[in-house]
């Protein structure tokens, strides 16, 4: 396949960095249905902060990269990359509507000989069983005769400035051996650390979903240990430090599991496993345990307050952080919300402070008001939920009322000011 021209469908945390990177090597167009998002990007700013303004502006000015909401502007492309979200619904069932919609978009513009590559995290079989039939129906073309497909799972880590997209080793795959070589070659040409070519699309899909499921299970184990040791009056972090002195101990920490990957992707495999008659007990238990940790943190904070004689009803509480991870504006599936809602059963005097979060976005998504400037009041309880660098420089004591409680979810604050930590 000669003269590659790439269109990336979906310009979020995954699609934009990938499109920008592709633009350094190939003519590339980014497509998104959100006009305000496209306008902001074409002005040279990425609100997600995944692509630095200077890199984005360089791509636009020097590499001809452009973003659009117009199908006509991607109609002459021949290598389509789909990077849309794969959420779950209120019952934790996979929601494939974004993928179906993106597949319809591809179907409207794809031509004979073109390739479509999916990056969205899915259970094995979604690309060939759910997405490509939509492309066939809309385009009138025949899969693996008129057009071809690949799958290369995204590995973007929001907020990570070390493992940036060009440094990630990517898994690739194709619907035929020849197409697999082409897809692998395109990705290899822009990646510093190369690729791993999987033998099939289904293997590539499965590899991605177990990456996140494995982390979910491992963190659940540490969270369960934290509950056990907290009940025993033993500091979990001290236990982990001691155990990690053994050469083959895998050092992990307990914590809140939010975000768009670990807290969502396992549900895709859990559901598909049950279709095949397999009950994934370990994965299901891990999901339940991790989903309950926000409420657990709130309950432990209340316990500390009771022990110190601090009135919980109508108490003034400060939550430090609302994003799902540190030094990043991403609020998707943040478990800080669970802490907030549990505490709000006892008091309405809760301040959420996060200099990274978009306050309007948080209020729209969760109905919670966020302040971006440092509070100056004194609080009966302070919960560090996110380890933003800005929080590590705070004078916590100056914000704490007499006999107030400090709960450190991340285990990063000085021990002498902390009453409890996860």
């Amino acid at each position: 396949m000669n003269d590659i021209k790439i269109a990336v469908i979906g310009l979020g945390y995954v699609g934009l960095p990938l499109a920008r990177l592709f633009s350094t090597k190939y003519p590339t167009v980014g497509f998104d249905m959100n006009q305000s998002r496209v306008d902001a990007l074409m002005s040279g700013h990425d609100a997600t902060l995944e692509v630095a303004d200077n890199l984005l502006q360089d791509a636009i000015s020097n590499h001809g990269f452009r973003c659009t909401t117009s199908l006509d502007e991607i109609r002459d492309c021949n290598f389509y990359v789909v990077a849309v979200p794969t959420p779950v619904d209120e019952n934790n069932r996979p929601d494939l509507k974004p993928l179906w919609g993106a597949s319809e978009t591809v179907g409207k513009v794809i031509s004979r000989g073109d390739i479509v590559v999916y990056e969205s995290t899915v259970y094995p079989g979604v690309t060939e069983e759910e997405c490509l039939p939509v492309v066939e129906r809309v385009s009138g073309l025949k899969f693996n005769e008129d057009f071809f497909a690949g799958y290369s799972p995204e590995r973007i880590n929001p907020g990570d400035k070390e493992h940036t997209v060009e440094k990630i080793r990517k898994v690739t795959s194709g619907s035929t051996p020849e197409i697999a070589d082409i897809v692998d070659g395109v990705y290899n040409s822009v990646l510093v650390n190369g690729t791993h070519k999987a033998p099939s699309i289904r293997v590539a899909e499965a590899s991605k979903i177990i990456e996140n499921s494995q982390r979910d299970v491992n963190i659940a184990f540490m969270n369960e240990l934290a509950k056990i040791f907290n009940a025993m009056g033993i500091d979990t972090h001290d236990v982990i430090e001691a155990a990690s002195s053994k050469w083959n101990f895998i050092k992990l920490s307990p914590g809140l599991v939010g975000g768009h990957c670990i807290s969502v992707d396992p549900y895709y495999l859990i559901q598909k496993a049950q279709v095949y008659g397999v009950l994934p007990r370990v994965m299901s238990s891990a999901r339940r345990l991790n989903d309950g940790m926000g409420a657990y943190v709130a309950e432990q904070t209340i316990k500390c307050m009771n022990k110190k004689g601090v009135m919980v009803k109508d108490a003034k509480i400060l939550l430090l952080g609302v994003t799902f991870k540190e030094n990043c504006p991403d609020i998707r599936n943040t478990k800080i919300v669970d802490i907030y809602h549990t505490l709000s059963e006892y008091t309405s005097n809760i301040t959420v402070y996060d200099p990274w979060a978009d306050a309007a976005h948080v209020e729209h998504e969760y109905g919670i008001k966020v302040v971006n400037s440092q509070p100056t009041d004194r609080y009966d309880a302070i919960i560090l939920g996110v380890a933003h660098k800005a929080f590590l420089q705070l004078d916590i004591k100056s914000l704490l009322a007499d006999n107030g409680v400090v709960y450190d979810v991340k285990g990063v604050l000085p021990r002498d000011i902390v009453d409890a930590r996860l």
Side-chain angles (χ1 to χ4, degrees), residues 82-94:
V82 174
V84 296
T86 45
V88 293
D89 64 18
E90 62 275 9
N91 297 311
N92 292 321
R93 293 176 302 201

Side-chain angles (χ1 to χ4, degrees), residues 149-358:
Y151 182 81
S152 180
E154 63 92 357
R155 281 177 168 169
I156 294 290
N157 185 24
D160 190 338
K161 302 309 178 186
E162 179 181 353
H163 302 97
T164 50
V165 61
E166 66 272 12
K167 298 176 184 177
I168 296 171
R169 190 179 182 201
K170 292 269 285 171
V171 173
T172 66
S173 62
S175 55
T176 71
E178 295 76 19
I179 295 302
D181 288 341
I182 293 173
V183 172
D184 192 68
V186 170
Y187 278 90
N188 238 319
S189 68
V190 295
L191 297 174
V192 173
N193 294 313
T195 60
H196 173 91
K197 186 169 63 174
S200 71
I201 287 175
R202 287 168 64 88
V203 168
E205 290 170 324
S207 73
K208 169 58 181 178
I209 208 158
I210 71 165
E211 291 174 22
N212 293 333
S213 297
Q214 181 187 67
R215 291 178 66 196
D216 195 39
V217 169
N218 285 342
I219 295 171
F221 175 58
M222 304 312 291
N223 281 337
E224 190 162 62
L225 291 179
K227 287 186 172 184
I228 294 170
F229 294 136
N230 287 344
M232 293 179 173
I234 302 172
D235 188 284
T236 306
H237 293 269
D238 288 344
V239 175
I240 292 170
E241 285 297 323
S244 63
S245 64
K246 188 170 188 287
W247 65 90
N248 61 351
F249 179 80
I250 301 172
K251 187 178 181 180
L252 296 169
S253 298
L256 304 177
V257 181
H260 70 300
C261 284
I262 304 178
S263 65
V264 173
D265 297 344
Y267 288 120
Y268 276 70
L269 190 54
I270 287 169
Q271 188 209 18
K272 196 62 176 179
Q274 293 176 80
V275 172
Y276 284 88
V278 178
L279 182 60
R281 290 184 174 85
V282 173
M283 291 171 57
S284 298
S285 296
R287 278 284 73 237
R288 285 193 297 272
L289 197 152
N290 285 340
D291 271 349
M293 290 306 293
Y296 174 79
V297 167
E299 290 159 2
Q300 290 297 298
T301 302
I302 291 169
K303 183 178 179 179
C304 288
M305 294 171 72
N306 284 332
K307 282 184 174 180
K308 293 185 76 171
V310 179
M311 179 70 71
V312 177
K313 180 173 169 45
D314 298 326
K316 291 182 66 175
I317 298 177
L318 175 63
L319 291 183
L320 295 176
V322 74
T323 62
F324 93 88
K325 64 183 298 187
E326 63 274 7
N327 307 316
C328 169
D330 197 342
I331 63 168
R332 289 174 293 177
N333 301 312
T334 173
K335 297 306 174 185
I336 303 298
V337 171
D338 296 341
I339 300 176
Y340 179 93
H341 286 313
T342 301
L343 292 173
S344 65
E345 296 177 18
Y346 301 88
T347 178
S348 60
N349 299 322
I350 304 174
T351 300
V352 182
Y353 165 47
D354 195 319
W356 281 87
D358 183 320

Side-chain angles (χ1 to χ4, degrees), residues 344-407:
S344 65
E345 296 177 18
Y346 301 88
T347 178
S348 60
N349 299 322
I350 304 174
T351 300
V352 182
Y353 165 47
D354 195 319
W356 281 87
D358 183 320
H361 190 195
V362 175
E363 187 163 11
H364 177 266
E365 289 295 318
Y366 301 111
I368 295 173
K369 293 186 180 299
V370 172
V371 297
N372 296 128
S373 56
Q374 182 179 326
T376 56
D377 288 346
R378 291 167 68 85
Y379 297 89
D380 299 306
I382 298 175
I383 301 175
L384 178 89
V386 188
H388 292 322
K389 289 181 181 178
F391 294 159
L392 305 185
Q393 300 166 1
L394 276 179
D395 182 0
I396 300 290
K397 287 185 177 180
S398 69
L399 297 172
L400 199 63
D402 293 339
N403 218 32
V405 166
V406 176
Y407 192 100

